[in-house]
Amino acid sequence: MSLERLEFKTEVQQLLDLMIHSLYSHKEVFLRELISNASDAIDRARYESLTNSAVLENESGWKIKITADRGRGTLTISDNGIGMTKEEIVEALGTIAHSGTKEFLAALQSKAIKDNPELIGQFGVGFYSSFMVADKITVFSRRAGQQGAGGVKWESTGDGSFTVEDVEKERRGTDVILEIREEEKKYLDEWQIRSIIKKYSDFIEHPIVMDVEKEQDSALKKGEKVTIKEEETLNSMKAIWLRDRSEVPEEEYNQFYQHISHDSANPAKVIHYKAEGTSEFTALLYIPSHAPYDILFRDYKIGPTLYVKRVQIMDHCEELIPHYLRFVKGVVDSADLPLNVSREILQHNRQVEIIRTNITKKVLDTLGDMKKEQYGDYIKVYNEFGRVLKEGLHYDFTRREAIADLFLFPSTKTEEGVLRSLDDYINDMEAQQEAIYYITGTSLAEALHSPYLETFRGKGYEVLVMLDDIDDLVLSGFEYKGKRLKSITKGDIDLDKTDKTEKETAKKQYAELMDLMKDTLKDDVKDVRLSGRLTDSACCLVADEGDLDPQVEKLLKAMGQEVPLKKRILEINPSHPLFAAMKAVFEKDAKSNTLPDFIKLLYDQALILEGSKPKDPAAFSKTIAKLMAENIGKESS
Ligand code: ADP
């Protein structure tokens, strides 16, 4: 069959150029990536063989073989896994089908990646990292179970194109042959290969073997030594999760974490336990110390790797963990599930449900314990994953309180950097206080300067500051230990129940002026009313109780949803001298020309106070200038 030359998709070429030219340290990770691909290919073949034994082609035993040929300058990584057809190889090694590619390309140019090439693995572009050490890569592959047909040879020098060709391949699986660059020949040394495998791939479940030279007593001549070649397994293949907690040093837990997560940092917490009873399983779970770049993306892969009696069944088993704990990584090994379990079965399986419930409780308990006993570490974890955890309040009704117990917020009562829990809030709240008050905002400084806080400060009521986009969505109206959470920027706030008569009098006093205001601003606000939340400022804008919080509005817009424009309510502070003065003008001449100007100015002020722009900045500044001129005129006369 003829040779076909194909172009790499643009982004692959871009990626290759960046990879070859920008990553000088840690080139050794290429071997980890190839071994990981080989191991995945074996897992897939083994899984398929459970229902289709033809895949095995009568050859038993899974194996990854490394061959270093110093004479030819090549390093070969062979596996007897699932293999690829021609179509599959063109797709897998000619394009990048991941949605994270753009982010990856952007990240590759950043310093973080240059300093931490381990991050490469996160993006799933591992294969191409081999071009850091190889001038040319040749791949021979044949799909398992298709003996006698369908072998393919793929070849590229990483310069914009690759070739594919039909070839015969006797054994199933894939051979990746690297022509090692002159200056990288050290990767052909036995000890180098050994140490890289020990460092990165020791936990791979399948044997990684290499022919090594060994000295042995000669069978022919007594006292003489001969050199023989013998296949040696280089990795320990230890299923770390099946060992006893007390036997596993922290270092090994960390290495295994790095191996499964492709994270270069250590995890913040290891959760390792064996469950017995209604369901028998072992879980080795990790809470990472930092969030991956794509945790808020829709296609973020969630869930631990599922094993059944040491056989890997699937990589990301999302049925095992709720979405709001998707930052948890790890392995679950079940003794009860059938080996040929499919996705469909998993979705309705009672055992899976039990495991999921158990894991969820364990993770939440662990976070709770961390909060109590390792507060410093907890805050770091919370800062990374608090946003994701909060989704649980919406989705996991039965555990709402346990989840809310984990939340921490900045507050008007604490110094910057000191966070408060809802429990702290309840313990310290004033006896007559009815709700847990909060304010949303995009930055702490902005929120703390908000005029909405005036009355609360005056009364000594604490207000929690919520800075995550989903806060209002999940927390508004939520009841924690009998107290409802209430946004201070929405709805009517009336902290002084006793001042009812005073409010009624003020209401009557200003009724006509307020009618004029309503009329003047009818296009901008849906109502004008007296405020229960201001002491110093003259006015502010508030949303109605059921209206969307501005932060939530932004979130919805970012998700491409239409958000209807909602008019808000202008609240005025009756104790501000401005209103007495306006009322005096109104009583003298209800048709005065200055009143509408003033009213519009008030609305603009309220907009400025909440961090928005005046409706018509030119008109605003013109009116201000006019007022200033008049006043200065008065002073100088
Ligand atoms: P990733 O492994 O993260 O998907 P890679 O660039 O390393 O990214 O590999 C791309 C794809 O090529 C893999 O998803 C897999 O489908 C295929 N592949 C790579 N190596 C092998 C192999 N040894 N056997 C079978 N398929 C492979």
Side-chain angles (χ1 to χ4, degrees):
M1 262 276 196
S2 64
L3 182 77
E4 277 180 73
R5 181 168 290 279
L6 300 166
E7 302 286 312
F8 279 122
K9 286 271 155 62
T10 336
E11 65 272 14
V12 177
Q13 192 53 45
Q14 249 175 310
L15 188 69
L16 286 175
D17 291 345
L18 280 163
M19 191 103 72
I20 295 165
H21 297 117
S22 64
L23 302 165
Y24 294 107
S25 54
H26 291 77
K27 288 184 180 170
E28 64 196 27
V29 296
F30 82 92
L31 189 55
R32 175 190 71 187
E33 297 301 319
L34 295 182
I35 288 176
S36 155
N37 284 346
S39 169
D40 288 350
I42 291 177
D43 287 339
R44 283 184 55 202
R46 184 177 56 182
Y47 183 60
E48 232 179 274
S49 73
L50 296 172
T51 46
N52 174 17
S53 58
V55 164
L56 296 176
E57 301 177 4
N58 296 322
E59 181 196 323
S60 63
W62 307 105
K63 195 195 274 189
I64 300 164
K65 179 151 188 164
I66 315 278
T67 315
D69 186 331
R70 287 190 71 85
R72 288 210 182 92
T74 58
L75 184 68
T76 304
I77 293 88
S78 304
D79 65 68
N80 56 359
I82 196 72
M84 285 174 277
T85 63
K86 192 172 178 180
E87 289 69 38
E88 283 167 341
I89 211 167
V90 168
E91 172 67 24
L93 305 183
T95 61
I96 301 179
H98 312 275
S99 63
T101 311
K102 259 210 222 107
E103 286 75 17
F104 176 70
L105 286 171
L108 250 197
Q109 303 184 37
S110 78
K111 208 178 155 313
I113 285 271
K114 284 180 194 153
D115 295 343
N116 288 307
E118 287 84 351
L119 295 177
I120 297 172
Q122 263 200 43
F123 297 89
V125 286
F127 174 80
Y128 303 106
S129 62
S130 296
F131 280 112
M132 292 194 292
V133 300
D135 290 320
K136 185 162 103 179
I137 304 180
T138 310
V139 183
F140 289 95
S141 196
R142 179 175 66 72
R143 193 81 159 84
Q146 296 182 3
Q147 256 161 322
V152 59
K153 175 182 172 186
W154 178 102
E155 196 162 68
S156 175
T157 50
D159 59 354
S161 66
F162 60 91
T163 57
V164 278
E165 198 180 341
D166 294 320
V167 290
E168 294 251 322
K169 187 174 184 302
E170 168 78 21
R171 294 180 61 215
R172 67 161 187 263
T174 305
D175 305 333
V176 178
I177 304 166
L178 309 180
E179 253 171 50
I180 300 291
R181 287 173 197 276
E182 199 47 51
E183 63 278 16
E184 309 292 348
K185 287 274 152 68
K186 61 170 190 260
Y187 292 115
L188 297 171
D189 290 344
E190 185 192 312
W191 70 267
Q192 266 280 356
I193 296 168
R194 272 179 191 278
S195 76
I196 299 173
I197 289 173
K198 203 76 205 149
K199 183 164 166 195
Y200 295 111
S201 312
D202 194 47
F203 301 100
I204 294 282
E205 265 192 281
H206 311 291
I208 305 167
V209 304
M210 185 162 66
D211 287 336
V212 294
E213 290 184 349
K214 278 192 179 150
E215 283 211 325
Q216 198 174 281
D217 291 336
S218 168
L220 300 174
K221 256 192 183 165
K222 248 200 151 142
E224 255 188 37
K225 299 266 181 202
V226 287
T227 308
I228 56 146
K229 274 204 167 185
E230 199 178 73
E231 198 175 271
E232 186 182 322
T233 300
L234 305 179
N235 57 327
S236 70
M237 298 183 284
K238 279 180 285 195
I240 183 171
W241 61 92
L242 296 182
R243 288 159 63 192
D244 200 73
R245 262 205 86 117
S246 58
E247 276 175 25
V248 187
E250 188 181 337
E251 183 55 27
E252 286 189 35
Y253 275 132
N254 292 347
Q255 278 169 2
F256 184 67
Y257 166 75
Q258 295 185 347
H259 164 68
I260 57 169
S261 66
H262 293 301
D263 184 356
S264 54
N266 285 335
K269 192 83 189 166
V270 181
I271 306 172
H272 184 188
Y273 70 105
K274 199 171 158 66
E276 272 150 358
T278 38
S279 179
E280 198 180 309
F281 69 92
T282 303
L284 172 53
L285 306 170
Y286 295 93
I287 299 173
S289 53
H290 64 97
Y293 77 101
D294 54 350
I295 190 144
L296 294 178
F297 290 8
R298 202 166 289 195
D299 54 1
Y300 180 72
K301 294 212 175 77
I302 85 159
T305 307
L306 173 66
Y307 284 78
V308 172
K309 301 187 192 85
R310 278 203 71 177
V311 175
Q312 183 175 331
I313 303 297
M314 73 186 60
D315 218 4
H316 295 279
C317 184
E318 55 183 292
E319 286 77 12
L320 290 177
I321 205 136
H323 216 68
Y324 66 92
L325 295 180
R326 61 185 176 277
F327 49 89
V328 173
K329 308 255 182 226
V331 167
V332 171
D333 196 338
S334 161
D336 306 318
L337 287 166
L339 270 172
N340 59 352
V341 64
S342 67
R343 276 237 164 234
E344 292 68 47
I345 292 177
L346 282 175
Q347 279 162 8
H348 309 286
N349 186 283
R350 207 178 92 81
Q351 285 299 333
V352 173
E353 192 52 47
I354 294 171
I355 297 176
R356 179 187 159 107
T357 306
N358 188 304
I359 289 180
T360 306
K361 184 169 179 327
K362 191 78 181 181
V363 173
L364 291 178
D365 286 351
T366 304
L367 287 169
D369 290 345
M370 272 183 93
K371 183 162 162 270
K372 267 188 233 129
E373 291 149 23
Q374 298 168 275
Y375 191 69
D377 292 342
Y378 178 73
I379 292 205
K380 284 189 209 138
V381 167
Y382 182 75
N383 283 337
E384 294 291 318
F385 303 115
R387 159 68 180 74
V388 175
L389 204 54
K390 282 173 183 166
E391 294 171 16
L393 209 61
H394 185 71
Y395 291 107
D396 195 347
F397 232 73
T398 53
R399 294 190 191 79
R400 292 187 99 187
E401 198 144 307
I403 296 167
D405 272 333
L406 298 171
F407 296 169
L408 291 173
F409 304 100
S411 149
T412 51
K413 276 232 173 131
T414 54
E415 286 174 31
E416 210 180 316
V418 181
L419 302 175
R420 300 269 285 168
S421 67
L422 294 175
D423 204 44
D424 295 336
Y425 187 105
I426 297 235
N427 289 337
D428 294 345
M429 77 197 252
E430 304 287 328
Q432 73 278 22
Q433 208 178 316
E434 288 185 342
I436 299 175
Y437 294 109
Y438 67 86
I439 182 165
T440 58
T442 42
S443 81
L444 185 59
E446 177 212 311
L448 290 178
H449 285 109
S450 167
Y452 300 107
L453 291 170
E454 287 169 8
T455 323
F456 294 87
R457 283 222 169 89
K459 294 194 85 63
Y461 286 5
E462 176 170 16
V463 177
L464 298 175
V465 181
M466 310 222 165
L467 301 173
D468 277 332
D469 52 4
I470 63 161
D471 282 331
D472 191 69
L473 198 65
V474 297
L475 284 155
S476 169
F478 169 62
E479 202 175 297
Y480 181 81
K481 298 194 175 162
K483 296 282 177 191
R484 213 163 265 291
L485 271 89
K486 190 163 165 48
S487 163
I488 66 161
T489 64
K490 285 201 290 188
D492 205 2
I493 293 272
D494 188 3
L495 299 181
D496 295 309
K497 300 280 175 223
T498 44
D499 292 349
K500 269 227 159 69
T501 46
E502 210 174 290
K503 202 171 171 185
E504 282 308 310
T505 329
K507 220 171 172 176
K508 266 191 213 127
Q509 237 180 342
Y510 287 107
E512 283 178 313
L513 179 63
M514 291 205 307
D515 283 343
L516 177 67
M517 294 173 93
K518 273 181 224 174
D519 192 51
T520 313
L521 298 174
K522 61 177 181 296
D523 293 335
D524 304 303
V525 301
K526 69 174 169 195
D527 197 10
V528 178
R529 70 179 177 212
L530 297 181
S531 183
R533 67 192 101 209
L534 296 175
T535 56
D536 301 331
S537 302
C539 59
C540 67
L541 282 165
V542 301
D544 234 350
E545 192 89 56
D547 283 356
L548 284 183
D549 176 81
Q551 281 275 77
V552 175
E553 230 170 70
K554 238 193 286 164
L555 178 76
L556 292 177
K557 277 188 193 149
M559 290 176 358
Q561 297 216 10
E562 278 218 21
V563 180
L565 213 60
K566 275 251 168 80
K567 284 191 203 166
R568 285 177 299 162
I569 298 161
L570 181 71
E571 285 196 354
I572 63 168
N573 173 5
S575 55
H576 196 284
L578 178 63
F579 294 101
M582 280 174 74
K583 187 166 173 271
V585 176
F586 181 80
E587 278 163 3
K588 212 161 116 198
D589 174 10
K591 300 231 156 10
S592 153
N593 281 334
T594 41
L595 279 177
D597 278 352
F598 269 59
I599 291 169
K600 282 180 202 147
L601 216 51
L602 267 175
Y603 174 62
D604 282 336
Q605 270 189 53
L607 285 171
I608 291 173
L609 270 176
E610 63 161 18
S612 309
K613 265 212 245 149
K615 193 179 154 200
D616 178 352
F620 173 76
S621 101
K622 219 162 118 191
T623 318
I624 292 265
K626 191 174 127 211
L627 282 171
M628 285 167 77
E630 282 169 13
N631 271 289
I632 289 179
K634 265 183 220 154
E635 267 181 41
S636 60
S637 63

